Amino acid sequence: MASRLNNLAAFHQKLAKADRILAICGAGLSAASGLPTFRGAGGLWRNYEATDLATPEAFAEDPGLVWLFYAYRRHMALQTKPSAGHHALAALAKKRPNFLCLTQNVDNLSPRAGHPASQLRTLHGSLFTLKCSSPSCSYVEPSNTSDPLCPSLAPASVDPPDPSQPGKIPLLDPSHPLPTIQPSSLPQCPRCASSGTSSLLRPGVVWFGESLDPSMLSEIDAWIDQGPIDLILVVGTSSVVYPAAGYAERARTKGHTSVVTVNKEVEKVMWRKGEDLAFQGGAEEWLGRMLEPVIGGVTPGIFNRVEDGLGPVFVHVVR
């Protein structure tokens, strides 16, 4: 098994023969940008489990609290930059037209890295899409990067005086009471307002208990069914959230497909077949080296110096 761990030569042999490539990416891809995962250490936001706030029930009970949580995540995502891993996958997409990337991330870093939209599927939506919370309204507003989103959410856009201690800002300090936000001061749906009704806008992400976009899932299934897939890259995900967790095996052609895992905790996501490989470490550490024969040489850190007009690299955050 050791020969299948961190074996660049073996991977490059597979890459040279690969035409159809699928990537399945999770929060670990964005960890190098300063956006840690929900699970494990860093899963708390104030004294709340982050996953408990990502539900329709939480939004119905306290939309102000949920919006503060998501406004903070929007702010953090806007303050950081795509990592070397994001850029390496974007470069692969531009070189290989038969490459498709499925990301569970909602931070918009892959598009900001230049990943072509036609080769990227954002399974769980985007922090920067707003949509009406009313089931009878289909209003959607994409690519809203306002920060703060509205005056009542301005506390979520305050930066700590010491970037190494984000918990010093009042919003993240549980000893500081959160401001009470009335629903009337949160983002409102303009379509509903024009018809004389009142509905809140909500983040355009897929919350726990909600279904993914069926048309997007059909597109992914159709792409997988076009023919055998040579390589499946499983990057920065523990493969426990479905349907993303099932795509590696769904897309595997027996005796043909190699599943290649890139994860800091690779022992928790062990390879299953003899043709599979694994790389222990971050996507920013490995993807550039792994994909170098296709995308060219990578100078360490060069991707993180690419300017995209959205400010400097920021800080470690609690996601």
Side-chain angles (χ1 to χ4, degrees):
M1 287 189 178
S3 63
R4 292 190 279 141
L5 178 64
N6 299 342
N7 192 332
L8 274 175
F11 177 79
H12 287 162
Q13 289 179 357
K14 295 176 182 292
L15 181 64
K17 302 174 184 177
D19 176 37
R20 282 170 45 80
I21 304 173
L22 178 69
I24 305 161
C25 301
L29 176 62
S30 295
S33 295
L35 299 177
T37 67
F38 267 130
R39 301 179 184 278
L44 285 178
W45 184 77
R46 291 176 63 92
N47 284 333
Y48 299 95
E49 288 284 348
T51 51
D52 290 342
L53 298 177
T55 69
E57 294 77 15
F59 188 76
E61 180 178 346
D62 193 342
L65 172 65
V66 173
W67 255 125
L68 278 173
F69 171 59
Y70 279 95
Y72 175 72
R73 291 178 61 194
R74 284 167 56 95
H75 177 70
M76 293 293 96
L78 287 171
Q79 298 306 303
T80 192
K81 289 181 178 291
S83 72
H86 293 103
H87 283 282
L89 291 173
L92 178 65
K94 293 171 184 176
K95 294 285 189 177
R96 291 292 178 88
N98 287 330
F99 168 56
L100 180 66
C101 179
L102 313 180
T103 181
Q104 301 170 77
N105 297 333
V106 296
D107 49 40
N108 208 38
L109 291 178
S110 290
R112 283 173 54 191
H115 200 120
S118 62
Q119 293 170 266
L120 180 70
R121 298 293 181 271
T122 52
L123 297 175
H124 296 165
S126 170
L127 291 171
F128 304 101
T129 295
L130 309 179
K131 66 180 186 179
C132 184
S133 61
S134 171
S136 61
C137 180
S138 59
Y139 178 80
V140 175
E141 180 183 345
S143 304
N144 183 313
T145 56
S146 298
D147 186 34
L149 189 56
C150 63
S152 65
L153 298 176
S157 299
V158 176
D159 295 331
D162 181 352
S164 68
Q165 301 183 44
K168 292 297 184 180
I169 65 174
L171 180 72
L172 299 185
D173 186 348
S175 67
H176 285 75
L178 284 173
T180 299
I181 302 178
Q182 297 300 321
S184 59
S185 63
L186 291 170
Q188 305 289 315
C189 175
R191 182 178 297 172
C192 290
S194 67
S195 63
T197 59
S198 177
S199 299
L200 291 177
L201 291 175
R202 53 160 281 184
V205 299
V206 179
W207 281 329
F208 293 99
E210 294 183 327
S211 299
L212 275 63
D213 180 359
S215 61
M216 176 185 63
L217 297 181
S218 295
E219 290 178 358
I220 295 170
D221 286 340
W223 187 90
I224 290 174
D225 291 339
Q226 286 175 9
I229 294 172
D230 303 298
L231 282 176
I232 300 174
L233 307 177
V234 181
V235 181
T237 176
S238 57
S239 296
V240 297
V241 177
Y242 281 80
Y247 275 124
E249 291 306 319
R250 158 82 173 83
R252 186 196 288 271
T253 301
K254 185 177 180 180
H256 181 90
T257 308
S258 295
V259 176
V260 181
T261 299
V262 181
N263 199 300
K264 288 186 176 180
E265 297 180 321
V266 76
E267 69 279 0
K268 296 182 180 180
V269 197
M270 293 299 289
W271 48 86
R272 296 178 175 85
K273 309 291 184 182
E275 61 268 24
D276 295 347
L277 300 172
F279 293 86
Q280 185 162 23
E284 73 285 356
E285 173 189 356
W286 281 110
L287 285 179
R289 297 162 65 190
M290 292 167 61
L291 302 175
E292 183 176 3
V294 175
I295 67 175
V298 176
T299 301
I302 191 170
F303 287 138
N304 286 328
R305 295 198 296 269
V306 175
E307 295 296 330
D308 61 3
L310 289 173
V313 175
F314 195 55
V315 297
H316 173 89
V317 298
V318 176
R319 181 171 177 178

